[in-house]
Amino acid sequence: MALSRREVIWGASAAALGACGRRAPAPGSYVNVYSARHYDADRALFAAFEEATGVAVRVLPANAEQFTERLRAEGDATEADLIVAADAGNLWRMKDAGLLANTTSPALESGVPARLRDPDGAYWGFTKRARVIIFNDQALEPADVATYDALAEARFRGKIVARSSTNVYQLSTLASRIERLGAGNARTWAAAVRANFARDPQGSDTDQIKAVAAGEAHATLCNHYYYLRLARSEDPAERDVASKVGLVFPDQTGAGTHINISGAGIAAHAKRPERALQLLEYLVSDAAQTMLAPLNDEFPIRPSIAPAPELAALGAFQEEDIPLDALGRHQAEAARIFEEVGWR
Ligand code: FE
């Protein structure tokens, strides 16, 4: 059977996973997902959704910037139904560009805590990630880096590494500070952290952890799952990196650790909006959350679902309590501040 171009482009996840024993989706019953997440856990979830509903999930992978451009270019001709991306900052940008449809339902309202979704219903969190501090455990004790403010102290001159401020994780981290403490405070903090850099910003979150483990710096910021991936790696060199650093959930006696989400929203011009909603509701359902937890390096969206044992072992922690749409609203100002203080 010859494949049409579209079938080639849209990787049917059932085919990718092998469809053994699974109920065949009804002909023509499918939903198209633009996903910026490329995790085995997501593929397993989509396969479970197919099995439960008979609706095939067709995934087009790319990064969030590529989707934004593509959705803009496609306009109302798009075949995208559900958009999946990491970081509320990315999802907010898509909403701001008019690419997401506002939606709600009782299942979404009860499944996703209010601060972990867009107030208008343009995007809904389905996993959580924490912005933690990683420190060199030969050089420091956890108490030395108990707060984000610690990274700005003069005693860490030449001891901090950070990735570029063009990365959305950094923008969201600073946006959360703008939301809680104001732009003046955020600027002072960013300038002081910048003054502590051991090198110009370069590389990924994982690269920052490696620099700290190697003693090139004493501490850095990263999303918690990058540490877990190293700690659980099959590569002994990566496990060795993890063994040389410690992880702190900052601000436990203050505002709590900065939290972000992976989330999803229905495309503004979805051709199958009811199936997109069905899949979105599935992502936050008890069944999906319970299935996702042990496969995923992130936290379930609700505290009632237990995280993976490796995550639970990091300990309970207090989360920052701000509405996540603030990360989008303050994004432009965060970028301006980073630029002004020379954190490029
Ligand atoms: Fe990431």
Side-chain angles (χ1 to χ4, degrees):
M1 184 185 76
L3 291 172
S4 72
R5 184 161 177 272
R6 174 164 295 157
E7 283 166 322
V8 172
I9 293 170
W10 290 99
S13 60
L17 286 160
C20 45
R22 186 172 307 128
R23 171 170 18 147
S29 180
Y30 62 90
V31 60
N32 289 334
V33 177
Y34 279 16
S35 181
R37 284 166 50 95
H38 315 294
Y39 301 151
D40 290 343
D42 288 16
R43 284 188 277 275
L45 261 191
F46 295 150
F49 175 80
E50 289 182 359
E51 183 154 18
T53 63
V55 176
V57 179
R58 309 201 309 186
V59 179
L60 184 75
N63 66 37
E65 289 77 23
Q66 289 166 338
F67 285 148
T68 301
E69 283 318 301
R70 185 174 175 133
L71 285 163
R72 276 186 212 266
E74 290 172 342
D76 59 11
T78 189
E79 286 293 322
D81 298 310
L82 191 71
I83 314 298
V84 175
D87 203 288
N90 279 330
L91 290 157
W92 184 90
R93 274 185 220 166
M94 291 185 201
K95 177 196 178 184
D96 193 50
L99 301 173
L100 298 177
N102 296 339
T103 191
T104 191
S105 75
L108 292 176
E109 296 273 344
S110 65
V112 184
R115 70 187 165 88
L116 303 178
R117 51 166 129 120
D118 174 54
D120 298 320
Y123 53 86
W124 300 77
F126 67 91
T127 68
K128 285 188 305 199
R129 58 263 305 277
R131 196 85 178 139
V132 300
I133 293 175
I134 294 292
F135 63 93
N136 181 296
D137 71 357
Q138 295 294 304
L140 301 179
E141 299 289 327
D144 293 323
V145 283
T147 64
Y148 296 112
D149 283 352
L151 302 180
E153 291 174 9
R155 67 193 159 102
F156 289 127
R157 193 57 46 94
K159 302 294 186 193
I160 304 297
V161 283
R163 78 187 289 176
S164 167
S165 68
T166 57
N167 177 260
V168 73
Y169 303 155
Q170 303 292 51
L171 291 168
S172 288
T173 302
L174 194 61
S176 77
R177 182 173 275 263
I178 295 171
E179 171 72 6
R180 285 192 297 105
L181 301 168
N185 174 291
R187 190 182 198 287
T188 302
W189 178 83
V193 176
R194 162 77 185 82
N196 286 342
F197 282 174
R199 64 182 187 192
D200 287 338
Q202 57 184 262
S204 65
D205 277 23
T206 301
D207 292 326
Q208 313 312 311
I209 302 173
K210 288 178 176 171
V212 169
E216 293 165 32
H218 285 179
T220 192
L221 282 172
C222 80
N223 285 355
H224 78 275
Y225 50 83
Y226 292 110
Y227 166 82
L228 268 192
R229 281 182 202 166
L230 292 171
R232 302 206 288 205
S233 174
E234 291 181 357
D235 179 349
E238 293 198 331
R239 289 200 305 277
D240 187 54
V241 166
S243 75
K244 292 182 165 132
V245 301
L247 180 153
V248 164
F249 291 107
D251 287 17
Q252 290 305 288
T253 58
T257 298
H258 173 55
I259 289 296
N260 212 308
I261 54 169
S262 287
I266 297 177
H269 299 289
K271 302 297 180 292
R272 291 148 292 270
E274 65 298 319
R275 289 195 200 119
L277 177 61
Q278 191 182 6
L279 178 55
L280 180 54
E281 288 181 341
Y282 177 77
L283 292 177
V284 305
S285 68
D286 277 350
Q289 289 286 313
T290 304
M291 181 186 160
L292 189 58
L295 302 176
N296 195 13
D297 294 321
E298 296 166 276
F299 295 94
I301 202 68
R302 290 186 294 285
S304 57
I305 309 284
E310 295 88 344
L311 269 184
L314 296 177
F317 66 100
Q318 183 191 327
E319 299 176 9
E320 181 181 61
D321 184 15
I322 59 167
L324 287 200
D325 71 306
L327 308 184
R329 285 188 276 109
H330 299 309
Q331 199 168 150
E333 183 149 43
R336 203 156 44 237
I337 290 170
F338 278 134
E339 180 70 23
E340 282 170 11
V341 305
W343 180 337
R344 300 284 153 74

